Amino acid sequence: MQADLVVSNIGILWTPKESGKPLRLKAFDEVEEYRNAFIAVKDGKILALGEGDGERYMGEHTQKHDAEGKLVTPGLVDSHTHVVHYGSREYEFEKKMRGVPYLKILEEGGGILASVRMTQEANEEALYNQSKISLDRMLSYGVTTVEGKSGYGLDADTELKQLRVQKRLNEDHPVDIVGTYLGAHALPKAYKNNRKAFLDSVVDTMDVVKKEKLAEFVDIFCEKGVFNVEESRYILEEAKKRGFGLKIHADEIEALGGVELACELGAASADHLMVVNDSGIDALSKSDTIANVLPSTSFNLQSEYAPVRKMINRGVALALSSDYNPGSSPSENFLFTLNIAAIHMKMSPREILNAATINAAHSIQKADRVGILKEGYNADFVIYEAGNFPYVLYHFAINHVKDVFKNGTLVVSNQNKVWEEKP
Ligand code: NIG
Ligand code: FE
């Protein structure tokens, strides 16, 4: 069959192996490798790939693209972000660097609550424009699918504004965005003595979110001084009844039991896990709930890193995400997240690729179309200014992405071209 596009002269191609399930244990440290390879694309999907020049898929109208002997991977999947928010919090940065704890800043009405005020005040255009810039940056680092949460509204109108803006961006921007309603991200001060009323308002808003198809998942911040396990159970069970997938921010600062709850309810992912204990690890290892770890957040908060080697050895399925947000992880640079995973979490290059593609796709229930390069999958892939994937991890804090294809269309072209000969 004639392809719409053939990318040839790929020096080395790394893709996760297809198994239909999240990768764990030995399979997590394996990838499929092709050398001197091609990818043929038809109707935005992969038609074929393998070693050789793909000549037999070329016809009169086939567009050709030369990968110049460089590295190709699937488009990266950033499966935990707070991409739609307004403003920034650099004024808190100094405080944080002087050692004022993250939860103390929140308690004083700063932190998440400060971003809530900025997001409430922003009009839709301003919110759209700021978030679009972030998506452009993410794409420039090779991210072709992201998960995006609300949670900087904490009132129905602003939460819905965030999700509607995100839906518009999903339609307008090459990056695909999977929506999550995080109505219970923090308790507004006005509800200090009436927590149940706030939680009920979050549940009410779920119906609008569902009706307008604004999100596929519901998430909650289960943390000491934020929402406890019982409150998290209430929100997640109500979400489940309404047909949402489930996510939880858990074990970031204290292990309360949110991870065990996520596994019990069949959540798609439990995220953060910096202080996960044996009971949480045990629950994860027996479930398909993905442990979504966020090393940029540990880096920025100068806190602990999730014990990933222990989790991997115990058979937990792991994903990596940037957690891009204005407080604990103010950077869209997903490649830097991967650098930190290598340096501070001691993950191997193969584990990192699997965690940032196929396992991340599982954590947003999109593993049937993204995260792997294989016939029938979306033609989302990245060509790097590098000759192999370990080089991208080793040469840290640099954007090595050259070209990005999204659904078979070239959306980033010849970026970061450098004169030097790369290995
Ligand atoms: O995932 N931990 C909770 N929420 C975000 C941070 C939000 C913020 O500080 O603005 C996170 O780290
Ligand atoms: Fe988060």
Side-chain angles (χ1 to χ4, degrees):
M1 192 195 275
Q2 188 180 320
D4 298 330
L5 163 76
V6 172
V7 177
S8 56
N9 195 17
I10 297 170
I12 185 164
L13 186 153
W14 266 22
T15 173
K17 294 182 180 175
E18 193 187 34
S19 88
K21 292 192 306 254
L23 299 174
R24 55 181 96 222
L25 295 165
K26 192 169 161 287
F28 186 51
D29 198 17
E30 290 169 2
V31 295
E32 204 80 68
E33 177 179 302
Y34 300 93
R35 286 179 184 267
N36 305 316
F38 74 94
I39 299 176
V41 175
K42 178 90 185 159
D43 298 329
K45 307 266 181 224
I46 296 186
L47 174 65
L49 91 175
E51 278 162 21
D53 56 14
E55 188 67 45
R56 72 189 193 87
Y57 297 97
M58 287 191 202
E60 208 188 325
H61 302 291
T62 305
Q63 181 199 336
K64 298 176 185 71
H65 189 93
D66 183 355
E68 298 174 2
K70 294 174 200 235
L71 165 73
V72 169
T73 72
L76 303 176
V77 178
D78 192 349
S79 60
H80 178 140
T81 85
H82 304 251
V83 61
V84 177
H85 61 262
Y86 196 71
S88 57
R89 309 217 297 267
E90 62 277 16
Y91 63 90
E92 277 176 9
F93 185 60
E94 221 181 306
K95 242 191 202 173
K96 252 174 20 195
M97 292 309 107
R98 284 201 312 267
V100 183
Y102 181 74
L103 290 178
K104 176 102 175 76
I105 295 174
L106 178 62
E107 213 179 283
E108 289 168 354
I112 295 171
L113 294 173
S115 291
V116 166
R117 288 190 292 276
M118 294 183 236
T119 306
Q120 284 173 341
E121 279 160 26
N123 65 37
E124 285 206 12
E125 277 330 286
L127 199 51
Y128 181 99
N129 292 337
Q130 178 171 329
S131 311
K132 183 182 173 298
I133 292 170
S134 290
L135 284 170
D136 287 345
R137 285 204 184 107
M138 288 169 161
L139 183 66
S140 81
Y141 286 105
V143 173
T144 48
T145 303
V146 309
E147 182 261 13
K149 303 173 195 295
S150 64
Y152 291 111
L154 307 186
D155 61 50
D157 285 352
T158 315
E159 289 288 315
L160 293 169
K161 176 173 75 178
Q162 271 189 283
L163 290 173
R164 287 179 187 132
V165 162
Q166 183 164 277
K167 193 175 177 186
R168 255 174 73 206
L169 283 162
N170 184 39
E171 284 154 14
D172 299 351
H173 198 278
V175 171
D176 280 328
I177 317 173
V178 174
T180 296
Y181 172 49
L182 176 56
H185 194 192
L187 186 77
K189 288 261 180 270
Y191 287 91
K192 209 170 155 215
N193 299 315
N194 201 354
R195 302 176 68 89
K196 181 69 169 62
F198 177 70
L199 295 174
D200 286 340
S201 75
V202 170
V203 172
D204 287 344
T205 306
M206 283 180 200
D207 293 324
V208 188
V209 172
K210 191 81 199 167
K211 194 158 156 250
E212 287 188 37
K213 295 192 171 66
L214 295 173
E216 296 177 41
F217 293 92
V218 166
D219 193 346
I220 183 164
F221 188 12
C222 178
E223 187 56 66
K224 191 168 174 221
V226 190
F227 297 107
N228 62 33
V229 176
E230 203 186 308
E231 291 165 333
S232 303
R233 176 183 289 281
Y234 174 58
I235 290 294
L236 296 180
E237 282 183 345
E238 289 300 319
K240 194 171 175 176
K241 277 187 214 160
R242 287 165 175 77
F244 288 101
L246 309 180
K247 292 182 168 284
I248 193 165
H249 282 65
D251 291 12
E252 179 180 356
I253 298 154
E254 290 213 18
L256 305 181
V259 175
E260 292 88 329
L261 173 71
C263 297
E264 180 198 322
L265 297 179
S269 69
D271 303 44
H272 277 298
L273 312 173
M274 276 118 102
V275 295
V276 67
N277 57 24
D278 282 340
S279 139
I281 295 178
D282 200 45
L284 285 163
S285 66
K286 291 183 187 134
S287 78
D288 275 340
T289 299
I290 302 273
N292 201 357
V293 299
L294 317 169
S296 297
T297 308
S298 300
F299 175 82
N300 183 61
L301 295 180
Q302 301 178 65
S303 55
E304 290 164 79
Y305 288 89
V308 305
R309 290 273 33 117
K310 190 169 171 187
M311 286 197 268
I312 291 168
N313 290 339
R314 299 260 303 265
V316 174
L318 222 93
L320 284 162
S321 299
S322 72
D323 192 20
Y324 171 59
N325 74 68
S328 64
S329 185
S331 169
E332 297 95 333
N333 185 343
F334 193 35
L335 292 183
F336 189 54
T337 303
L338 306 189
N339 295 147
I340 306 171
I343 297 164
H344 283 287
M345 290 177 157
K346 316 281 181 253
M347 289 177 71
S348 78
R350 287 170 175 81
E351 290 171 340
I352 289 174
L353 185 78
N354 286 326
T357 53
I358 189 59
N359 278 10
H362 276 288
S363 83
I364 50 171
Q365 296 170 345
K366 296 287 172 279
D368 57 340
R369 65 200 84 161
V370 300
I372 288 189
L373 294 178
K374 194 173 190 284
E375 192 188 321
Y377 279 78
N378 289 0
D380 297 352
F381 50 90
V382 180
I383 304 177
Y384 300 79
E385 262 301 320
N388 58 69
F389 192 64
Y391 179 83
V392 173
L393 300 177
Y394 142 87
H395 192 160
F396 75 96
I398 296 294
N399 189 356
H400 297 285
V401 170
K402 178 177 172 291
D403 302 320
V404 181
F405 285 86
K406 175 72 194 170
N407 297 322
T409 301
L410 185 62
V411 288
V412 171
S413 173
N414 234 359
Q415 179 188 246
N416 304 309
K417 196 94 186 107
V418 286
W419 60 269
E420 63 186 304
E421 194 61 20
K422 286 283 168 67

